[in-house]
Amino acid sequence: MIALLMRDLKLAFRAGGGFGLGLAFFLIVVVLVPFGVGPQTALLSRIAAGILWVGALLACLLSLDRLFALDWEDGSLDLLATSPLPLEAVAVSKALAHWLTTGLPLVVASPVFGLLLGLPEAGYIFVVLSLLIGTPALSFIGAFGAALTVGIKRGGLLLSLLVLPLYVPTLIFGAEVARRGSEGLAVQTPLLLLAGITFGSMALLPFASALVLRVNLR
């Protein structure tokens, strides 16, 4: 499985859909929002946590359509399905590769982008913590959506329509953790709910993704 993960990481970088693209999109969102909202420091500071979460969520969408599409196109997915490695492990590998190339860089860069938005000093650690806990859920949910749409022409748009509603709970609780932390309020409840979504996604969705892949490969 480690060899498959390393292969997926190399493919993600070669396809141009990982580290750089997600960060560039995240930066564009952070830069453009102040132009739309206006030069109101107090307002930007109040909504900075939500903007960072929305930007991270949208950045995670960019490379989802490539998770299984490249293997589908060159026939590697059929070989993986008949290999000793179960498809559940393949789905986990794809989701982890997506998180390492997209989600983790966004977590690392979020304090810098928070500075651009005037994020309150108390909110930095909670923005990083919420993204660190919540972005794996985005990758595993995205892997499930990518498995549903694999082999469909122009499946990228359909993938976004399928995945975005599933992202909403993660967005709500992740942004709530960051907002409450910025305002000095208790974060235990939304943090536990966010962690529950992530661990639930990691535990259940690889099996759902593998089931869908088996159906699509018939």
Side-chain angles (χ1 to χ4, degrees):
M1 181 176 170
I2 295 177
L4 179 60
L5 177 62
M6 296 303 298
R7 169 184 172 273
D8 290 336
L9 290 174
K10 292 178 182 178
L11 285 175
F13 281 105
R14 288 177 183 175
F19 181 86
L21 184 60
L23 281 180
F25 185 84
F26 199 11
L27 178 60
I28 289 171
V29 171
V30 170
V31 170
L32 289 181
V33 166
F35 287 105
V37 174
Q40 303 177 37
T41 306
L43 177 59
L44 283 174
S45 178
R46 191 163 62 251
I47 65 175
I51 294 172
L52 290 172
W53 253 97
V54 170
L57 185 151
L58 295 177
C60 285
L61 279 175
L62 292 179
S63 55
L64 286 181
D65 60 335
R66 299 183 180 91
L67 281 182
F68 296 104
L70 296 177
D71 290 329
W72 171 273
E73 291 169 0
D74 63 12
S76 299
L77 193 57
D78 294 304
L79 296 177
L80 290 172
T82 56
S83 70
L85 189 67
L87 275 178
E88 290 81 2
V90 174
V92 170
S93 174
K94 296 291 183 181
L96 284 177
H98 180 267
W99 183 75
L100 289 173
T101 56
T102 303
L104 186 58
L106 297 179
V107 174
V108 175
S110 60
V112 178
F113 295 153
L115 182 64
L116 298 177
L117 293 171
L119 182 70
E121 185 176 347
Y124 284 92
I125 186 172
F126 292 100
V127 167
V128 173
L129 180 63
S130 64
L131 287 172
L132 184 63
I133 295 175
T135 48
L138 301 181
S139 294
F140 277 85
I141 294 171
F144 173 65
L148 281 173
T149 58
V150 68
I152 299 177
K153 292 182 179 179
R154 299 180 181 178
L157 178 59
L158 178 60
L159 174 59
S160 299
L161 293 175
L162 289 173
V163 167
L164 276 175
L166 300 177
Y167 275 176
V168 170
T170 306
L171 172 63
I172 290 173
F173 295 119
E176 187 67 7
V177 170
R179 184 191 66 81
R180 289 193 179 190
S182 300
E183 297 177 359
L185 303 175
V187 301
Q188 288 86 347
T189 299
L191 187 62
L192 288 174
L193 290 170
L194 180 64
I197 292 173
T198 296
F199 289 127
S201 300
M202 295 173 67
L204 299 176
L205 289 183
F207 295 96
S209 300
L211 178 61
V212 171
L213 287 173
R214 292 188 181 97
V215 171
N216 287 336
L217 288 173
R218 288 178 182 174

